[in-house]
Amino acid sequence: MDDTRLHRLTPQEIDAVCALARTVWQATYPALISQAQIDAMLADRYAADRIRSQLDDPNHAWWIARRGQATVGFAHAVRDGVRCKLDKLYVDTGHQRQGIGAALLQAVQEWARQQQGRRLWLQVNRGNTQAVAAYLKYGFGITESRVFDIGHGFVMDDHVMELPL
């Protein structure tokens, strides 16, 4: 983690986040959801205009992790009343298990506490056993498991997990 820098995302870095999202999703999700759903979710959640508008919204916060010139991870959180949602946390597959995800999660937790959040919550695909195990390791507990209809004939089969702050 020594040479990894974490900071709040700037508009100039949005394209790098979108590119990393595509890389990580293509390495993670084809065994869990269809390519059509991957493409639809990437197009929706990583549209540059959407991220840009979130950067200007005080209820949203984005972080980026960089090593040298390479983008190696990112996180996004949303204030949701007395809870904050960890909406996205991804680390490049070649840089996982090096403390980057933990550092991003720490930044999100600090931000959530500053927002007077009492709980941090997230949704994670039930089949993403590596991510589920990581979140359990960091103190999250599974509060429910269900299928969420996200439109266009797609669903997310997720655990909802929470961490008291």
Side-chain angles (χ1 to χ4, degrees):
M1 226 346 253
D2 305 351
D3 58 345
T4 303
R5 295 177 325 282
L6 235 63
H7 62 269
R8 294 293 286 270
L9 182 67
T10 66
Q12 296 78 19
E13 297 168 311
I14 292 172
D15 289 343
V17 163
C18 295
L20 180 56
R22 179 161 291 284
T23 298
V24 174
W25 278 55
Q26 287 303 147
T28 305
Y29 292 111
L32 303 173
I33 59 177
S34 70
Q35 186 63 49
Q37 183 168 345
I38 291 170
D39 292 341
M41 291 179 73
L42 285 169
D44 177 51
R45 287 164 171 72
Y46 296 95
D49 289 342
R50 181 176 186 174
I51 296 172
R52 193 169 290 104
S53 71
Q54 291 171 346
L55 292 179
D56 296 330
D57 183 337
N59 292 314
H60 290 261
W62 281 85
W63 296 264
I64 189 169
R66 299 182 65 86
R67 277 205 174 142
Q69 297 303 309
T71 299
V72 295
F74 64 89
H76 169 236
V78 183
R79 181 175 32 214
D80 180 24
V82 296
R83 299 186 320 158
C84 291
K85 181 180 184 185
L86 174 59
D87 192 46
K88 301 169 185 69
L89 192 155
Y90 292 99
V91 176
D92 182 80
T93 56
H95 293 90
Q96 292 176 357
R97 293 183 173 83
Q98 297 175 21
I100 298 166
L104 286 163
L105 181 56
Q106 178 75 29
V108 170
Q109 287 174 305
E110 289 171 13
W111 177 81
R113 285 186 190 101
Q114 291 169 357
Q115 307 307 306
Q116 277 68 55
R118 295 190 196 126
R119 302 185 79 68
L120 185 62
W121 71 282
L122 60 88
Q123 288 176 231
V124 60
N125 185 293
R126 285 191 234 193
N128 191 346
T129 55
Q130 182 178 326
V132 171
Y135 290 126
L136 288 170
K137 176 180 132 183
Y138 290 115
F140 284 83
I142 297 170
T143 59
E144 70 175 301
S145 300
R146 67 182 189 131
V147 175
F148 297 87
D149 184 341
I150 60 171
H152 307 290
F154 299 124
V155 298
M156 294 190 324
D157 185 8
D158 288 351
H159 289 307
V160 175
M161 301 180 79
E162 283 193 354
L163 173 73
L165 295 174

